[in-house]
Structures are given as C-alpha cells and as structure tokens.
Amino acid sequence: MQPRMKLVKHTGERAEYPLDAEVIHLGREQARTIPIDDPLVSRRHAEITCVSKAHGANAWVIRDLGSANGTYVNDNLLTASHRLRVGDRIQLGNTLFTYEEMESGQRFRNIIAVLIALSTLVGALVAWRASVATDDAASARNDGTHVLIRLSHYRSGIDASLYQNLGAFVSYRLHLGTMELLDRALADSKEKTYTSSLEGERLFHANMALAALDLVDQDYLHRAESAAEQSFERTRFTETNLAEATTLEDLDYEAHFRESDRASLIAQRLTLTAVLLSLSIFFYTGATLSESRRKYFLAAMGVVTFSLGTLVAALIELAERAG
C-alpha cells in the first residue's frame, strides 16, 4: 500500500490538496487542478507528476512550466525536474506549499517512532544490565585474586612451619636416642663401682644431660617415642592447617572465579541481545525512509527482532535470578 501524499497551502487560509491524479497542475487558471490566486503566479506555473520507481514504488516530481517568477523548492530556484520528499517547501510567487503525507502515512510514521523509542529504552536497559554484569565479573575476579594471594601466604607460612616441625622432629628423635643410651649407661653404672674421679664426673654430666632432655616438649617426645614406626605426615599437616585457616576466613578462590565466569557469560549474552535490539531500530529506520511496500516488511522485521531481543533478555534475567 502506497502512502497517499498531499500539498498543504500555508499562505492565507490553510488548505490541503491530495495528490490523487497522475498530473497535478498549479497556476492562476481556474482550470488548474490546484488554482492559486496570486498575481505573481503564472496561469500555467508548474505541474507535479506521478512517476513509477523500482520495486513498484511511486514518486512525485515537480517541474516549472516556464513561469515568469519561477518555482522554488526549499528556497532553491527550480531549473529541472525535482523529486519531492516529505517536508519539501514549494514556493510559487507569494504562495507557500509543503509536500506531506496523508494521515494514514503519518500515523504509520508515528507508530514507527513509538517503536523506535521503545526499542531504544529496552536496549539501554539491557546495555546497562550488561555493564553491571561486567562490573560484577571484574569484582568477583579481583576477589578471587586477593583470596588466592592470601592462600599463597598461608601456604608459605604452613610450609615454613612444616619444615620447622620436621627439623624439630628429627632433633627430638636424636635426643630420644641419646636419652635411651644414657638410661642404659646409668643402669649399667649402678652395677659397677667407680674408683676414679673421672668416671664419677662423667656420671654426673650424664645425669645432667638426662635432666635437660626431660625438659624437652613432651608433645614432640611423644611423636618420637616410637622412632622405628612413627613418621611425620606432611600432607596431613598441610591439609589440617589449611582447614583451620579456612574456618577463619574465605579462602575458596575457585568459587570467586566461577562467579566471575558466570557474570562474564551473562554480560556477553546481554551484549548480543542489545545488538539484536539495535538491529530492530535499524529495521524501523529503514521502514521510515522507505516509500514502497517494503516499509511494512521492514517494520515487521523490526517488531520480530525487538520481540526476540526482549524475550532473550527476560530469559537471561530469570535464569540469573533462579541460579
């Protein structure tokens, strides 16, 4: 369906003239299709002709008929045929016309304008939501990085404590061996008689060494009391200390990274949805500029892409809330 066009006279009493013939004549002659009562307008001043374009569309072309004062379109003197466009101003003498669509065409443009505004609003909301998801992804990744750094510090401290305990464990096992030797020597000495002062002095120092070893931390002595069977479990030591640290603060960096990946995926999907909504605006704009039946096809494509984009955005939001 082609849009119906009209000329609107703004000089004097406002009047509208539909372009409903193949040739529209303008001039002072009463026989003119659009008579103009203006002394500066020639009897046969200008004419507007309907011409066919590609794809079955029609256009209106104005040309001057050799008038005395000329015909002006948008303040430019007409020297050849000119294809009219919506909003063009046509000046004949002191009389001004504008080239406009009939109400049906204007109503279509108004609907398209509302659809463009709606698509722009929804697209802006989706783009804002994508920006929020991007910020959430960056924040979660930063949190995960900080947790990973703290975890590394904890592991360093645990490793240092591990080697310290390993060193103490070996040292106390040696001490325990020394104590066993001293106990055995003292037990043997009770059955002997020492006549020399040197042997008595050695016995005294042995008793002193045994007393010093008795002051060693009983926890480590307990670990080393079965030297032939007991060994220090490194993995268990590390896991136990990490578990204790985890109870004090959040050290699950993988959870933050998973949250970051999820938010990044949401941002990507919303960005694609915003592009889809922008595509609907592209179709609407094409429908506004088109003068053939193709504009209805473009308008329908705009409605489809807008509906699809809105549905996808709603599903993404619902999935995020459910997750």
Side-chain angles (χ1 to χ4, degrees):
M1 178 180 180
Q2 297 293 329
R4 299 182 59 190
M5 309 306 295
K6 64 181 178 181
L7 289 183
V8 178
K9 183 167 74 74
H10 298 278
T11 304
E13 185 178 355
R14 188 178 186 276
E16 297 183 0
Y17 302 94
L19 303 183
D20 51 5
E22 291 187 0
V23 179
I24 307 296
H25 301 281
L26 298 92
R28 283 192 297 110
E29 283 187 357
Q30 292 300 319
R32 296 298 89 189
T33 309
I34 301 179
I36 303 173
D37 185 13
D38 186 337
L40 296 180
V41 174
S42 300
R43 296 175 61 189
R44 295 173 54 86
H45 197 105
E47 69 177 13
I48 299 175
T49 306
C50 179
V51 297
S52 296
K53 300 191 305 178
H55 309 293
N58 293 331
W60 294 89
V61 176
I62 185 171
R63 68 186 183 92
D64 187 77
L65 298 178
S67 63
N69 295 309
T71 302
Y72 292 82
V73 177
N74 297 327
D75 300 326
N76 296 317
L77 179 63
L78 200 63
T79 58
S81 296
H82 172 79
R83 177 189 167 191
L84 292 172
R85 292 176 174 81
V86 175
D88 280 353
R89 301 185 309 278
I90 303 171
Q91 185 82 35
L92 290 77
N94 291 323
T95 306
L96 175 65
F97 293 90
T98 56
Y99 177 73
E100 301 177 7
E101 287 185 348
M102 300 291 284
E103 289 302 321
S104 59
Q106 187 62 39
R107 187 179 303 111
F108 176 81
R109 290 177 180 273
N110 291 339
I111 293 174
I112 293 297
V114 172
L115 292 176
I116 290 176
L118 184 60
S119 295
T120 303
L121 176 60
V122 176
L125 291 175
V126 171
W128 169 78
R129 189 64 187 84
S131 175
V132 172
T134 301
D135 293 340
D136 290 343
S139 177
R141 183 157 293 274
N142 288 335
D143 292 342
T145 301
H146 292 319
V147 170
L148 187 58
I149 292 173
R150 292 200 304 272
L151 181 61
S152 299
H153 291 164
Y154 273 112
R155 285 187 177 277
S156 298
I158 291 172
D159 289 341
S161 178
L162 172 63
Y163 288 114
Q164 182 181 3
N165 280 275
L166 286 173
F169 182 68
V170 173
S171 174
Y172 286 124
R173 287 182 64 180
L174 292 175
H175 289 172
L176 182 60
T178 304
M179 288 181 64
E180 291 176 350
L181 291 175
L182 286 173
D183 281 336
R184 189 177 300 112
L186 290 174
D188 293 341
S189 67
K190 293 180 180 179
E191 300 176 358
K192 298 180 181 179
T193 302
Y194 297 94
T195 56
S196 66
S197 60
L198 179 60
E199 290 176 340
E201 185 176 352
R202 287 177 177 174
L203 181 60
F204 173 76
H205 285 296
N207 281 304
M208 292 294 293
L210 184 60
L213 289 174
D214 285 337
L215 298 176
V216 175
D217 188 353
Q218 294 300 317
D219 178 61
Y220 288 100
L221 289 176
H222 177 71
R223 294 183 185 181
E225 64 184 0
S226 301
E229 301 176 0
Q230 187 172 343
S231 62
F232 194 81
E233 299 181 8
R234 301 187 182 189
T235 303
R236 182 179 179 184
F237 179 85
T238 302
E239 292 178 351
T240 301
N241 281 272
L242 281 178
E244 293 178 356
T246 304
T247 60
L248 300 178
E249 62 175 306
D250 176 23
L251 294 180
D252 188 5
Y253 66 93
E254 293 182 350
H256 293 284
F257 288 150
R258 286 194 298 270
E259 175 62 22
S260 175
D261 293 339
R262 188 185 71 84
S264 296
L265 182 60
I266 291 174
Q268 293 172 5
R269 292 174 176 174
L270 289 174
T271 300
L272 292 176
T273 304
V275 172
L276 188 61
L277 291 170
S278 299
L279 185 62
S280 71
I281 297 177
F282 170 79
F283 285 127
Y284 290 147
T285 304
T288 303
L289 299 177
S290 178
E291 297 180 359
S292 65
R293 295 179 181 178
R294 183 174 52 186
K295 70 180 183 179
Y296 297 103
F297 170 77
L298 293 174
M301 289 297 297
V303 172
V304 170
T305 52
F306 170 76
S307 301
L308 183 60
T310 305
L311 177 62
V312 171
L315 291 177
I316 292 173
E317 189 67 21
L318 289 175
E320 182 184 8
R321 293 179 182 277

